[in-house]
Amino acid sequence: MGMIELTYREALAKSIEEEMQKNPEVFIMGEDIGRYQGTFKVTRGFVEKFGSRAANYNYRILDTPITEAGFTGIGIGAAMAGLRPIVEFMTMSFSILALDQIINHAAKVHYMTNGEVKCPIVFRGPGGAAKQLSAQHSHSMDGWYAHVPGLKVVAPATALDAYGMMKAAIADDNPVVFYENPGLYTVKGEIPDDNPNFTIPIGKAQILKEGKDISLIGYSRMTQVNLAAAELLAKDGIDAEVVDVRSLLPLDTETIYNSVRKTHRAVVVYEDWRSGGFGAEIVSRIQEDCFDSLDAPVGRVGGLNVPMPYARNLELLCIPSEEDVVACVHKIG
Amino acid sequence: MAKKEEYKITESAAELEEHLRDMLFIRHFEEKCNRVYREGKAGGYMHVYIGMEALAVGWMKAIRKGEDYVITAYRDHAHALLLGTPPEAVLGEIMGRKIGTAGGKGGSMHIYDPKNGFYGGWGIVGGHIPLGAGLAFAARYRGEDKVCLNFMGDGASNQGVVFETLNMASLTDLPCVFIIENNEFAMGTRLEYHAADKELWKRGLPFDIRSERIDGMDVIDMKRKATEIVEWCRKEQRPAWIEIMTYRYSGHGAADNDRQLYRTKEEEDLAWQRDPIARLKMQMIGLGYMTEEKYEAIEEELIEEVERIYEICDASPFPEPDEVYDNIYSDMKPEAGH
Ligand SMILES: Cc1ncc(C[n+]2csc(CCOP(=O)(O)OP(=O)(O)O)c2C)c(N)n1
């Protein structure tokens, strides 16, 4: 199998493009995704491949007005009819305007019809802080969505997972929130070049670095932070294991628990606001189910509970860093 | 509304009798629902269609049943019944039984029957309007010859997402008929208190959408105009925005037990003079297509039919406790206890 080195952004584009080539019922819609090629340029070149620049509109690569609730709902309706839409949000912060459509409609229709109607749709976009985008553009929406039965929520941390999990998300018959992170788009990784049927299933965590002293548990960009923290800890003689959660809903507790039962210590790291964020749920599960294996309280590193400030020094205070993770590891002892 | 021109009835006696039976069946079904609710055999929020029958009957007869898409809000019993959903499945759902359209998980507000083209049954006022446009989008995307009837109340027509949807439906040429069931009230708020311009039909104009207002208390006229509009949408592949003037004789929902808070008895009496069922009955009698005796016999037959349906539902079981986790997802269940 040939491999190719791509950035996370390019891996996503390759994944979506291959799925659109394979299945004419897959299409993508969102603001400025066509002619403008997407705010974060994930859909670069798509309008030429799947439509035409001259057309008023292209159904397969649909530039929408700035009406998140409206276009999200249209995507959901199309999914109820069996199409497989990918809805791009410029940032997950703007998906707040579509919460009613996602939570009250997409997430409920399968249950409310007792399985008669499926809703195969992907909601994707960058969540969390980019750089100095301040209070209204920096939300981590992962925890909000992972709270909702009926949605699946994934947050891959590597280019390969972005590639493989996007394929799984598009193939899934349920609504999937695909949480990217602006800080990940330039992360590079090896991707299968000529295997469009490659996929990474939703619902499986992975161990990205084995270790015996403590489990660092995170997802999305925080997994990269945990990998960096593990290197720092190694210098202090602490052998950390990095658990990449990958999928929040469903949550692979088995992989998480096996790691904790091995290392007897855990720190959970997440970018979302510390109070009530999804990391709090992981901490709670560990203490409910692995209490006897623990040699220390479960540590938690989350974003500060403040609206994201603009000044770079203040912004950096709010986002968990590898130093914060190391400090937490030392604190729990 | 401009005064309606007189028209000549060319419909056959059989067709008119079918209209009459459909409207009467809905009325007696809904009256039974109200009793069932009062007896505590149905719960939650339940909204009946009494007074509005001609509207749904006219539109459902204008489409290709089972092919075209239909979606509406929570006042949804009539739409399902007219599309061919077994009445036991509708009443069963209202009574929270396993035989219901959603196995008792949806209730009155969430009746669905996708096999017959019915996509609900939605409880967030205005929230389903983009979904209906999405169904039309799917038809258009696939090059199918289908339209979507997208029903909403007058109150719903104020929601922002409705305007967002109209803009996109026009931009992308969707074969979607937006139908406002203007029954003059959004719960306890009269039209003039919730709409800055009471002529809701105008709201399609800024989006370059065909926009009209039609009387919904005359089933013959309703069906004729609906048919023309549906076929126009199908042919032109364009949306339409149609305001239908109607009235609900019951409370907003079964929980609304004091209509005098927002309207007078006199107003209701006046509105009863527009009763679409009485109107058709008189038209038919005038043409010699109906007699009082025959009408009474039909009514009796339908009332018995509704009772029979009720007996079936009442004797059928509630869902099993372990079904609570079923169909949250198509391929997995949450961990037990979570
Ligand atoms: C978003 C939202 N807000 C409020 C409600 C409560 N509510 C249910 S029905 C209703 C009135 C809607 O009136 P209208 O759209 O005219 O429809 P009708 O009930 O007359 O058929 C209200 C306020 C709701 N269900 N959803």
PDB file of all heavy atoms in Angstrom, chain A residues 100, chain B residues 45 47 52 73-75 109 122-127 152-157 159 181-189 194 248 252, ligand 1:
ATOM      1  N   ASP A 100     -30.474  24.157  17.370  1.00  0.00           N
ATOM      2  CA  ASP A 100     -31.837  23.620  17.354  1.00  0.00           C
ATOM      3  C   ASP A 100     -31.977  22.565  16.261  1.00  0.00           C
ATOM      4  O   ASP A 100     -32.578  21.509  16.475  1.00  0.00           O
ATOM      5  CB  ASP A 100     -32.851  24.744  17.130  1.00  0.00           C
ATOM      6  CG  ASP A 100     -34.252  24.191  16.930  1.00  0.00           C
ATOM      7  OD1 ASP A 100     -34.686  23.397  17.781  1.00  0.00           O
ATOM      8  OD2 ASP A 100     -34.893  24.524  15.918  1.00  0.00           O
TER       9      ASP A 100
ATOM     10  N   TYR B  45     -48.710  16.942  25.168  1.00  0.00           N
ATOM     11  CA  TYR B  45     -49.394  17.963  24.386  1.00  0.00           C
ATOM     12  C   TYR B  45     -50.064  17.300  23.195  1.00  0.00           C
ATOM     13  O   TYR B  45     -49.471  16.491  22.510  1.00  0.00           O
ATOM     14  CB  TYR B  45     -48.397  19.005  23.873  1.00  0.00           C
ATOM     15  CG  TYR B  45     -47.900  19.949  24.940  1.00  0.00           C
ATOM     16  CD1 TYR B  45     -46.566  20.327  24.987  1.00  0.00           C
ATOM     17  CD2 TYR B  45     -48.766  20.477  25.888  1.00  0.00           C
ATOM     18  CE1 TYR B  45     -46.100  21.214  25.960  1.00  0.00           C
ATOM     19  CE2 TYR B  45     -48.311  21.357  26.861  1.00  0.00           C
ATOM     20  CZ  TYR B  45     -46.982  21.730  26.890  1.00  0.00           C
ATOM     21  OH  TYR B  45     -46.530  22.594  27.833  1.00  0.00           O
ATOM     22  N   HIS B  47     -52.734  18.271  19.855  1.00  0.00           N
ATOM     23  CA  HIS B  47     -53.382  19.364  19.125  1.00  0.00           C
ATOM     24  C   HIS B  47     -54.245  18.787  18.016  1.00  0.00           C
ATOM     25  O   HIS B  47     -53.744  18.055  17.170  1.00  0.00           O
ATOM     26  CB  HIS B  47     -52.340  20.287  18.513  1.00  0.00           C
ATOM     27  CG  HIS B  47     -51.213  20.632  19.447  1.00  0.00           C
ATOM     28  ND1 HIS B  47     -50.180  19.764  19.701  1.00  0.00           N
ATOM     29  CD2 HIS B  47     -50.985  21.737  20.191  1.00  0.00           C
ATOM     30  CE1 HIS B  47     -49.343  20.328  20.567  1.00  0.00           C
ATOM     31  NE2 HIS B  47     -49.800  21.516  20.884  1.00  0.00           N
ATOM     32  N   MET B  52     -60.230  22.663  10.540  1.00  0.00           N
ATOM     33  CA  MET B  52     -59.229  22.857   9.480  1.00  0.00           C
ATOM     34  C   MET B  52     -59.230  21.725   8.452  1.00  0.00           C
ATOM     35  O   MET B  52     -58.360  21.659   7.580  1.00  0.00           O
ATOM     36  CB  MET B  52     -57.844  22.975  10.136  1.00  0.00           C
ATOM     37  CG  MET B  52     -57.749  24.147  11.110  1.00  0.00           C
ATOM     38  SD  MET B  52     -56.339  24.051  12.257  1.00  0.00           S
ATOM     39  CE  MET B  52     -54.975  24.277  11.122  1.00  0.00           C
ATOM     40  N   ALA B  73     -46.038  20.343  11.443  1.00  0.00           N
ATOM     41  CA  ALA B  73     -45.678  20.514  12.848  1.00  0.00           C
ATOM     42  C   ALA B  73     -46.375  19.441  13.685  1.00  0.00           C
ATOM     43  O   ALA B  73     -46.613  18.332  13.219  1.00  0.00           O
ATOM     44  CB  ALA B  73     -46.040  21.923  13.293  1.00  0.00           C
ATOM     45  N   TYR B  74     -46.734  19.792  14.874  1.00  0.00           N
ATOM     46  CA  TYR B  74     -47.299  18.863  15.856  1.00  0.00           C
ATOM     47  C   TYR B  74     -48.794  18.617  15.651  1.00  0.00           C
ATOM     48  O   TYR B  74     -49.351  17.688  16.206  1.00  0.00           O
ATOM     49  CB  TYR B  74     -47.073  19.462  17.267  1.00  0.00           C
ATOM     50  CG  TYR B  74     -47.381  20.932  17.210  1.00  0.00           C
ATOM     51  CD1 TYR B  74     -48.687  21.395  17.275  1.00  0.00           C
ATOM     52  CD2 TYR B  74     -46.377  21.862  16.927  1.00  0.00           C
ATOM     53  CE1 TYR B  74     -48.993  22.722  17.090  1.00  0.00           C
ATOM     54  CE2 TYR B  74     -46.680  23.200  16.746  1.00  0.00           C
ATOM     55  CZ  TYR B  74     -47.986  23.614  16.840  1.00  0.00           C
ATOM     56  OH  TYR B  74     -48.288  24.926  16.624  1.00  0.00           O
ATOM     57  N   ARG B  75     -49.452  19.490  14.860  1.00  0.00           N
ATOM     58  CA  ARG B  75     -50.904  19.313  14.629  1.00  0.00           C
ATOM     59  C   ARG B  75     -51.011  18.379  13.427  1.00  0.00           C
ATOM     60  O   ARG B  75     -51.370  18.785  12.330  1.00  0.00           O
ATOM     61  CB  ARG B  75     -51.557  20.681  14.359  1.00  0.00           C
ATOM     62  CG  ARG B  75     -53.065  20.713  14.570  1.00  0.00           C
ATOM     63  CD  ARG B  75     -53.632  22.104  14.298  1.00  0.00           C
ATOM     64  NE  ARG B  75     -53.171  23.124  15.221  1.00  0.00           N
ATOM     65  CZ  ARG B  75     -53.598  23.286  16.467  1.00  0.00           C
ATOM     66  NH1 ARG B  75     -54.525  22.480  16.949  1.00  0.00           N
ATOM     67  NH2 ARG B  75     -53.103  24.237  17.244  1.00  0.00           N
ATOM     68  N   MET B 109     -47.524  14.531  18.913  1.00  0.00           N
ATOM     69  CA  MET B 109     -46.801  15.560  18.155  1.00  0.00           C
ATOM     70  C   MET B 109     -45.826  14.977  17.139  1.00  0.00           C
ATOM     71  O   MET B 109     -45.310  15.697  16.295  1.00  0.00           O
ATOM     72  CB  MET B 109     -46.013  16.463  19.117  1.00  0.00           C
ATOM     73  CG  MET B 109     -46.889  17.240  20.073  1.00  0.00           C
ATOM     74  SD  MET B 109     -45.981  18.547  20.928  1.00  0.00           S
ATOM     75  CE  MET B 109     -45.004  17.596  22.091  1.00  0.00           C
ATOM     76  N   TRP B 122     -43.467  17.471  14.027  1.00  0.00           N
ATOM     77  CA  TRP B 122     -42.342  18.123  14.694  1.00  0.00           C
ATOM     78  C   TRP B 122     -42.823  19.153  15.713  1.00  0.00           C
ATOM     79  O   TRP B 122     -43.802  19.827  15.468  1.00  0.00           O
ATOM     80  CB  TRP B 122     -41.445  18.813  13.661  1.00  0.00           C
ATOM     81  CG  TRP B 122     -40.825  17.841  12.711  1.00  0.00           C
ATOM     82  CD1 TRP B 122     -41.363  17.382  11.543  1.00  0.00           C
ATOM     83  CD2 TRP B 122     -39.574  17.162  12.866  1.00  0.00           C
ATOM     84  NE1 TRP B 122     -40.508  16.482  10.956  1.00  0.00           N
ATOM     85  CE2 TRP B 122     -39.397  16.331  11.740  1.00  0.00           C
ATOM     86  CE3 TRP B 122     -38.567  17.184  13.839  1.00  0.00           C
ATOM     87  CZ2 TRP B 122     -38.271  15.517  11.567  1.00  0.00           C
ATOM     88  CZ3 TRP B 122     -37.451  16.394  13.663  1.00  0.00           C
ATOM     89  CH2 TRP B 122     -37.302  15.565  12.546  1.00  0.00           C
ATOM     90  N   GLY B 123     -42.077  19.263  16.815  1.00  0.00           N
ATOM     91  CA  GLY B 123     -42.571  20.041  17.956  1.00  0.00           C
ATOM     92  C   GLY B 123     -41.959  21.408  18.163  1.00  0.00           C
ATOM     93  O   GLY B 123     -42.414  22.159  19.030  1.00  0.00           O
ATOM     94  N   ILE B 124     -40.932  21.725  17.404  1.00  0.00           N
ATOM     95  CA  ILE B 124     -40.311  23.043  17.574  1.00  0.00           C
ATOM     96  C   ILE B 124     -40.912  23.961  16.522  1.00  0.00           C
ATOM     97  O   ILE B 124     -40.719  23.755  15.323  1.00  0.00           O
ATOM     98  CB  ILE B 124     -38.773  22.957  17.403  1.00  0.00           C
ATOM     99  CG1 ILE B 124     -38.183  21.958  18.395  1.00  0.00           C
ATOM    100  CG2 ILE B 124     -38.139  24.329  17.557  1.00  0.00           C
ATOM    101  CD1 ILE B 124     -38.426  22.274  19.855  1.00  0.00           C
ATOM    102  N   VAL B 125     -41.665  24.953  16.980  1.00  0.00           N
ATOM    103  CA  VAL B 125     -42.414  25.781  16.035  1.00  0.00           C
ATOM    104  C   VAL B 125     -41.474  26.376  14.984  1.00  0.00           C
ATOM    105  O   VAL B 125     -40.526  27.081  15.312  1.00  0.00           O
ATOM    106  CB  VAL B 125     -43.190  26.886  16.779  1.00  0.00           C
ATOM    107  CG1 VAL B 125     -43.762  27.895  15.794  1.00  0.00           C
ATOM    108  CG2 VAL B 125     -44.310  26.275  17.617  1.00  0.00           C
ATOM    109  N   GLY B 126     -41.711  26.046  13.740  1.00  0.00           N
ATOM    110  CA  GLY B 126     -40.905  26.549  12.624  1.00  0.00           C
ATOM    111  C   GLY B 126     -39.665  25.710  12.338  1.00  0.00           C
ATOM    112  O   GLY B 126     -39.064  25.824  11.271  1.00  0.00           O
ATOM    113  N   GLY B 127     -39.293  24.862  13.267  1.00  0.00           N
ATOM    114  CA  GLY B 127     -38.031  24.129  13.142  1.00  0.00           C
ATOM    115  C   GLY B 127     -37.970  23.149  11.986  1.00  0.00           C
ATOM    116  O   GLY B 127     -36.896  22.869  11.460  1.00  0.00           O
ATOM    117  N   MET B 152     -47.055  24.742   7.950  1.00  0.00           N
ATOM    118  CA  MET B 152     -46.733  25.420   9.215  1.00  0.00           C
ATOM    119  C   MET B 152     -47.923  26.253   9.664  1.00  0.00           C
ATOM    120  O   MET B 152     -48.817  26.533   8.869  1.00  0.00           O
ATOM    121  CB  MET B 152     -45.511  26.328   9.030  1.00  0.00           C
ATOM    122  CG  MET B 152     -45.807  27.621   8.289  1.00  0.00           C
ATOM    123  SD  MET B 152     -44.323  28.494   7.756  1.00  0.00           S
ATOM    124  CE  MET B 152     -44.049  27.747   6.150  1.00  0.00           C
ATOM    125  N   GLY B 153     -47.893  26.670  10.920  1.00  0.00           N
ATOM    126  CA  GLY B 153     -48.944  27.548  11.426  1.00  0.00           C
ATOM    127  C   GLY B 153     -48.621  29.003  11.129  1.00  0.00           C
ATOM    128  O   GLY B 153     -47.505  29.340  10.723  1.00  0.00           O
ATOM    129  N   ASP B 154     -49.613  29.873  11.379  1.00  0.00           N
ATOM    130  CA  ASP B 154     -49.353  31.303  11.193  1.00  0.00           C
ATOM    131  C   ASP B 154     -48.277  31.778  12.163  1.00  0.00           C
ATOM    132  O   ASP B 154     -47.426  32.596  11.818  1.00  0.00           O
ATOM    133  CB  ASP B 154     -50.641  32.119  11.360  1.00  0.00           C
ATOM    134  CG  ASP B 154     -51.445  31.719  12.588  1.00  0.00           C
ATOM    135  OD1 ASP B 154     -52.067  30.634  12.555  1.00  0.00           O
ATOM    136  OD2 ASP B 154     -51.432  32.464  13.584  1.00  0.00           O
ATOM    137  N   GLY B 155     -48.305  31.245  13.376  1.00  0.00           N
ATOM    138  CA  GLY B 155     -47.275  31.628  14.352  1.00  0.00           C
ATOM    139  C   GLY B 155     -45.889  31.226  13.883  1.00  0.00           C
ATOM    140  O   GLY B 155     -44.924  31.985  14.010  1.00  0.00           O
ATOM    141  N   ALA B 156     -45.793  30.043  13.323  1.00  0.00           N
ATOM    142  CA  ALA B 156     -44.498  29.530  12.865  1.00  0.00           C
ATOM    143  C   ALA B 156     -43.902  30.412  11.774  1.00  0.00           C
ATOM    144  O   ALA B 156     -42.678  30.514  11.646  1.00  0.00           O
ATOM    145  CB  ALA B 156     -44.662  28.105  12.340  1.00  0.00           C
ATOM    146  N   SER B 157     -44.778  31.064  11.026  1.00  0.00           N
ATOM    147  CA  SER B 157     -44.275  31.839   9.886  1.00  0.00           C
ATOM    148  C   SER B 157     -43.457  33.048  10.331  1.00  0.00           C
ATOM    149  O   SER B 157     -42.894  33.752   9.506  1.00  0.00           O
ATOM    150  CB  SER B 157     -45.430  32.276   8.977  1.00  0.00           C
ATOM    151  OG  SER B 157     -46.116  33.363   9.560  1.00  0.00           O
ATOM    152  N   GLN B 159     -40.874  32.666  12.493  1.00  0.00           N
ATOM    153  CA  GLN B 159     -39.543  32.195  12.908  1.00  0.00           C
ATOM    154  C   GLN B 159     -38.479  32.567  11.882  1.00  0.00           C
ATOM    155  O   GLN B 159     -38.678  32.434  10.678  1.00  0.00           O
ATOM    156  CB  GLN B 159     -39.549  30.664  13.088  1.00  0.00           C
ATOM    157  CG  GLN B 159     -40.200  30.197  14.380  1.00  0.00           C
ATOM    158  CD  GLN B 159     -39.306  30.350  15.606  1.00  0.00           C
ATOM    159  OE1 GLN B 159     -38.446  31.218  15.662  1.00  0.00           O
ATOM    160  NE2 GLN B 159     -39.507  29.500  16.590  1.00  0.00           N
ATOM    161  N   GLU B 181     -50.981  27.298   7.502  1.00  0.00           N
ATOM    162  CA  GLU B 181     -52.324  27.017   7.998  1.00  0.00           C
ATOM    163  C   GLU B 181     -52.688  28.174   8.924  1.00  0.00           C
ATOM    164  O   GLU B 181     -52.421  28.122  10.125  1.00  0.00           O
ATOM    165  CB  GLU B 181     -52.346  25.692   8.764  1.00  0.00           C
ATOM    166  CG  GLU B 181     -51.905  24.496   7.911  1.00  0.00           C
ATOM    167  CD  GLU B 181     -51.851  23.182   8.700  1.00  0.00           C
ATOM    168  OE1 GLU B 181     -51.538  23.189   9.911  1.00  0.00           O
ATOM    169  OE2 GLU B 181     -52.121  22.140   8.101  1.00  0.00           O
ATOM    170  N   ASN B 182     -53.232  29.221   8.348  1.00  0.00           N
ATOM    171  CA  ASN B 182     -53.529  30.401   9.164  1.00  0.00           C
ATOM    172  C   ASN B 182     -54.882  30.212   9.840  1.00  0.00           C
ATOM    173  O   ASN B 182     -55.925  30.536   9.282  1.00  0.00           O
ATOM    174  CB  ASN B 182     -53.518  31.666   8.304  1.00  0.00           C
ATOM    175  CG  ASN B 182     -53.761  32.911   9.157  1.00  0.00           C
ATOM    176  OD1 ASN B 182     -54.051  32.808  10.357  1.00  0.00           O
ATOM    177  ND2 ASN B 182     -53.642  34.074   8.543  1.00  0.00           N
ATOM    178  N   ASN B 183     -54.829  29.704  11.071  1.00  0.00           N
ATOM    179  CA  ASN B 183     -56.058  29.500  11.839  1.00  0.00           C
ATOM    180  C   ASN B 183     -56.309  30.663  12.782  1.00  0.00           C
ATOM    181  O   ASN B 183     -57.069  30.551  13.735  1.00  0.00           O
ATOM    182  CB  ASN B 183     -56.026  28.152  12.571  1.00  0.00           C
ATOM    183  CG  ASN B 183     -54.862  28.054  13.535  1.00  0.00           C
ATOM    184  OD1 ASN B 183     -54.291  29.060  13.950  1.00  0.00           O
ATOM    185  ND2 ASN B 183     -54.505  26.834  13.912  1.00  0.00           N
ATOM    186  N   GLU B 184     -55.639  31.769  12.525  1.00  0.00           N
ATOM    187  CA  GLU B 184     -55.818  33.051  13.215  1.00  0.00           C
ATOM    188  C   GLU B 184     -55.204  33.114  14.598  1.00  0.00           C
ATOM    189  O   GLU B 184     -55.205  34.171  15.229  1.00  0.00           O
ATOM    190  CB  GLU B 184     -57.300  33.457  13.297  1.00  0.00           C
ATOM    191  CG  GLU B 184     -57.911  33.706  11.919  1.00  0.00           C
ATOM    192  CD  GLU B 184     -59.328  34.251  11.999  1.00  0.00           C
ATOM    193  OE1 GLU B 184     -59.635  34.977  12.957  1.00  0.00           O
ATOM    194  OE2 GLU B 184     -60.112  33.929  11.084  1.00  0.00           O
ATOM    195  N   PHE B 185     -54.665  31.994  15.080  1.00  0.00           N
ATOM    196  CA  PHE B 185     -54.083  32.023  16.423  1.00  0.00           C
ATOM    197  C   PHE B 185     -52.770  31.255  16.488  1.00  0.00           C
ATOM    198  O   PHE B 185     -52.646  30.181  15.893  1.00  0.00           O
ATOM    199  CB  PHE B 185     -55.041  31.418  17.457  1.00  0.00           C
ATOM    200  CG  PHE B 185     -56.300  32.215  17.613  1.00  0.00           C
ATOM    201  CD1 PHE B 185     -57.417  31.907  16.858  1.00  0.00           C
ATOM    202  CD2 PHE B 185     -56.340  33.297  18.480  1.00  0.00           C
ATOM    203  CE1 PHE B 185     -58.575  32.662  16.970  1.00  0.00           C
ATOM    204  CE2 PHE B 185     -57.491  34.060  18.591  1.00  0.00           C
ATOM    205  CZ  PHE B 185     -58.619  33.735  17.839  1.00  0.00           C
ATOM    206  N   ALA B 186     -51.836  31.833  17.219  1.00  0.00           N
ATOM    207  CA  ALA B 186     -50.657  31.095  17.635  1.00  0.00           C
ATOM    208  C   ALA B 186     -50.847  30.870  19.127  1.00  0.00           C
ATOM    209  O   ALA B 186     -50.667  31.785  19.922  1.00  0.00           O
ATOM    210  CB  ALA B 186     -49.385  31.890  17.353  1.00  0.00           C
ATOM    211  N   MET B 187     -51.298  29.700  19.477  1.00  0.00           N
ATOM    212  CA  MET B 187     -51.710  29.390  20.842  1.00  0.00           C
ATOM    213  C   MET B 187     -52.747  30.417  21.282  1.00  0.00           C
ATOM    214  O   MET B 187     -53.815  30.465  20.692  1.00  0.00           O
ATOM    215  CB  MET B 187     -50.495  29.374  21.772  1.00  0.00           C
ATOM    216  CG  MET B 187     -50.398  28.076  22.552  1.00  0.00           C
ATOM    217  SD  MET B 187     -48.779  27.781  23.222  1.00  0.00           S
ATOM    218  CE  MET B 187     -49.090  28.165  24.923  1.00  0.00           C
ATOM    219  N   GLY B 188     -52.432  31.283  22.242  1.00  0.00           N
ATOM    220  CA  GLY B 188     -53.405  32.269  22.720  1.00  0.00           C
ATOM    221  C   GLY B 188     -53.168  33.651  22.144  1.00  0.00           C
ATOM    222  O   GLY B 188     -53.742  34.628  22.625  1.00  0.00           O
ATOM    223  N   THR B 189     -52.313  33.740  21.122  1.00  0.00           N
ATOM    224  CA  THR B 189     -51.998  35.053  20.565  1.00  0.00           C
ATOM    225  C   THR B 189     -52.597  35.194  19.174  1.00  0.00           C
ATOM    226  O   THR B 189     -52.275  34.451  18.261  1.00  0.00           O
ATOM    227  CB  THR B 189     -50.473  35.278  20.514  1.00  0.00           C
ATOM    228  OG1 THR B 189     -49.950  35.121  21.826  1.00  0.00           O
ATOM    229  CG2 THR B 189     -50.134  36.667  20.013  1.00  0.00           C
ATOM    230  N   HIS B 194     -49.357  39.052  16.698  1.00  0.00           N
ATOM    231  CA  HIS B 194     -48.046  38.416  16.467  1.00  0.00           C
ATOM    232  C   HIS B 194     -47.447  38.730  15.098  1.00  0.00           C
ATOM    233  O   HIS B 194     -46.267  38.482  14.882  1.00  0.00           O
ATOM    234  CB  HIS B 194     -48.087  36.906  16.740  1.00  0.00           C
ATOM    235  CG  HIS B 194     -48.746  36.032  15.698  1.00  0.00           C
ATOM    236  ND1 HIS B 194     -48.272  35.925  14.414  1.00  0.00           N
ATOM    237  CD2 HIS B 194     -49.824  35.207  15.773  1.00  0.00           C
ATOM    238  CE1 HIS B 194     -49.035  35.069  13.734  1.00  0.00           C
ATOM    239  NE2 HIS B 194     -49.990  34.626  14.529  1.00  0.00           N
ATOM    240  N   ARG B 248     -59.441  27.240  13.839  1.00  0.00           N
ATOM    241  CA  ARG B 248     -59.564  26.029  14.655  1.00  0.00           C
ATOM    242  C   ARG B 248     -60.659  26.254  15.689  1.00  0.00           C
ATOM    243  O   ARG B 248     -60.662  27.248  16.389  1.00  0.00           O
ATOM    244  CB  ARG B 248     -58.232  25.632  15.299  1.00  0.00           C
ATOM    245  CG  ARG B 248     -57.709  26.574  16.344  1.00  0.00           C
ATOM    246  CD  ARG B 248     -56.644  25.957  17.230  1.00  0.00           C
ATOM    247  NE  ARG B 248     -55.846  26.977  17.879  1.00  0.00           N
ATOM    248  CZ  ARG B 248     -56.243  27.683  18.932  1.00  0.00           C
ATOM    249  NH1 ARG B 248     -57.440  27.500  19.478  1.00  0.00           N
ATOM    250  NH2 ARG B 248     -55.445  28.594  19.456  1.00  0.00           N
ATOM    251  N   HIS B 252     -56.165  25.440  21.500  1.00  0.00           N
ATOM    252  CA  HIS B 252     -54.874  25.239  20.829  1.00  0.00           C
ATOM    253  C   HIS B 252     -54.440  23.783  20.932  1.00  0.00           C
ATOM    254  O   HIS B 252     -54.061  23.146  19.959  1.00  0.00           O
ATOM    255  CB  HIS B 252     -53.808  26.141  21.460  1.00  0.00           C
ATOM    256  CG  HIS B 252     -52.418  25.740  21.096  1.00  0.00           C
ATOM    257  ND1 HIS B 252     -51.916  25.890  19.826  1.00  0.00           N
ATOM    258  CD2 HIS B 252     -51.436  25.150  21.831  1.00  0.00           C
ATOM    259  CE1 HIS B 252     -50.671  25.424  19.796  1.00  0.00           C
ATOM    260  NE2 HIS B 252     -50.362  24.970  20.984  1.00  0.00           N
TER     261      HIS B 252
HETATM  262  C1  LIG C   1     -39.743  27.134  19.301  1.00  0.00           C
HETATM  263  C2  LIG C   1     -41.019  26.947  20.017  1.00  0.00           C
HETATM  264  N1  LIG C   1     -41.509  27.973  20.767  1.00  0.00           N
HETATM  265  C3  LIG C   1     -42.669  27.816  21.422  1.00  0.00           C
HETATM  266  C4  LIG C   1     -43.360  26.635  21.369  1.00  0.00           C
HETATM  267  C5  LIG C   1     -44.683  26.459  22.118  1.00  0.00           C
HETATM  268  N2  LIG C   1     -45.775  26.475  21.155  1.00  0.00           N
HETATM  269  C6  LIG C   1     -46.269  25.321  20.674  1.00  0.00           C
HETATM  270  S1  LIG C   1     -47.436  25.572  19.519  1.00  0.00           S
HETATM  271  C7  LIG C   1     -47.325  27.237  19.661  1.00  0.00           C
HETATM  272  C8  LIG C   1     -48.190  28.113  18.799  1.00  0.00           C
HETATM  273  C9  LIG C   1     -47.888  27.960  17.358  1.00  0.00           C
HETATM  274  O1  LIG C   1     -48.899  28.518  16.588  1.00  0.00           O
HETATM  275  P1  LIG C   1     -49.034  28.313  15.033  1.00  0.00           P
HETATM  276  O2  LIG C   1     -47.681  28.224  14.410  1.00  0.00           O
HETATM  277  O3  LIG C   1     -49.916  29.368  14.525  1.00  0.00           O
HETATM  278  O4  LIG C   1     -49.674  26.883  14.832  1.00  0.00           O
HETATM  279  P2  LIG C   1     -51.059  26.286  15.353  1.00  0.00           P
HETATM  280  O5  LIG C   1     -50.822  25.711  16.701  1.00  0.00           O
HETATM  281  O6  LIG C   1     -52.069  27.374  15.340  1.00  0.00           O
HETATM  282  O7  LIG C   1     -51.404  25.197  14.382  1.00  0.00           O
HETATM  283  C10 LIG C   1     -46.386  27.574  20.627  1.00  0.00           C
HETATM  284  C11 LIG C   1     -46.040  28.963  21.021  1.00  0.00           C
HETATM  285  C12 LIG C   1     -42.782  25.591  20.624  1.00  0.00           C
HETATM  286  N3  LIG C   1     -43.348  24.397  20.562  1.00  0.00           N
HETATM  287  N4  LIG C   1     -41.640  25.784  19.936  1.00  0.00           N
END
